[in-house]
Amino acid sequence: EPNRTVFRDLITRKSLWIMVNILSVVIGANMGIYYIMPLFLTKELYLGIGYANSLLGVSRLGGIGVAILCGFLIDRFNLRKIMFILMIVSGILTIFLGAASAALTGIVLFLQAIFITGIMPISFVCMTRLFDRETISMAIGLIVPLSTLFGTGLLPYLLGLSGDLLSFRFGIMALGILLILISCLALSLRDLEQL
């Protein structure tokens, strides 16, 4: 049973809230875009619904091998830098996704899905290194639900609102910019270097 002091120390740790913020935006850039993409492809790019669904399904195939590749990267390179680079590249590709023509959208969507999916296994390795045995279960129990709430709840809603009021392109590009800005938080996880 968790000790109150341990719990209080955990929720005051900066690294817990950094991971919540990072994962919220990453999940939003992954699942949020996945949720609104069929509507974006058909409403703004005027693609057929069958083609749009096929494009979306194929775009997610690249993420299958990414987790294995990330396992090799984690063992060989600095964890903070890998996460930072993946977030920057994902942010740039998300911006390109919002700006791409209908002809290039499939390629950009495929690449964006690969890089954004790669952040997820790395973030779980970060969590295991940031928190000790006494707090890891509580940390994950806080980080995952909170980031999922914002990433699959609030951000897709904001993307949909952007599509209604302005355009999906604007919302997708704004999310890409947010992902680039929040990538600096990955470099602030200095606790990763002490383990």
Side-chain angles (χ1 to χ4, degrees):
E1 188 175 330
N3 186 309
R4 281 186 182 179
T5 307
V6 172
F7 183 73
R8 188 171 55 246
D9 291 344
L10 175 66
I11 62 171
T12 57
R13 283 186 63 180
K14 188 174 128 181
S15 53
L16 177 91
W17 299 108
I18 288 173
M19 288 304 299
V20 168
N21 284 304
I22 287 173
L23 276 180
S24 293
V25 177
V26 167
I27 290 171
N30 190 354
M31 296 309 296
I33 287 179
Y34 180 79
Y35 291 157
I36 61 106
M37 192 53 60
L39 196 54
F40 168 62
L41 293 173
T42 55
K43 183 182 175 187
E44 288 188 19
L45 298 183
Y46 305 108
L47 299 175
I49 189 70
Y51 180 70
N53 286 334
S54 298
L55 193 64
L56 187 62
V58 169
S59 73
R60 298 293 156 167
L61 292 176
I64 295 171
V66 170
I68 298 166
L69 177 63
C70 286
F72 291 112
L73 292 175
I74 289 167
D75 290 338
R76 288 169 177 74
F77 300 103
N78 182 300
L79 197 55
R80 287 186 310 147
K81 289 179 183 172
I82 295 170
M83 187 175 233
F84 174 74
I85 291 168
L86 284 176
M87 289 177 74
I88 289 284
V89 173
S90 298
I92 291 168
L93 288 169
T94 303
I95 293 170
F96 284 165
L97 182 61
S101 64
L104 294 175
T105 299
I107 297 167
V108 179
L109 184 61
F110 182 80
L111 293 173
Q112 192 264 359
I114 287 175
F115 282 94
I116 201 75
T117 303
I119 299 171
M120 294 307 293
I122 289 174
S123 66
F124 279 99
V125 173
C126 286
M127 284 185 254
T128 61
R129 293 186 184 176
L130 287 170
F131 304 101
D132 55 24
R133 289 178 60 191
E134 192 174 36
T135 57
I136 184 70
S137 60
M138 286 186 289
I140 291 176
L142 286 171
I143 293 169
V144 173
L146 288 174
S147 55
T148 302
L149 176 70
F150 290 108
T152 62
L154 181 64
L155 285 176
Y157 171 74
L158 293 176
L159 287 170
L161 200 60
S162 170
D164 285 341
L165 301 177
L166 299 167
S167 71
F168 285 113
R169 285 185 186 276
F170 175 81
I172 292 169
M173 291 172 76
L175 183 56
I177 292 168
L178 179 61
L179 189 55
I180 290 171
L181 293 174
I182 210 160
S183 66
C184 297
L185 290 178
L187 292 177
S188 70
L189 291 170
R190 303 202 182 277
D191 295 348
L192 291 172
E193 308 307 316
Q194 297 168 6
L195 299 173

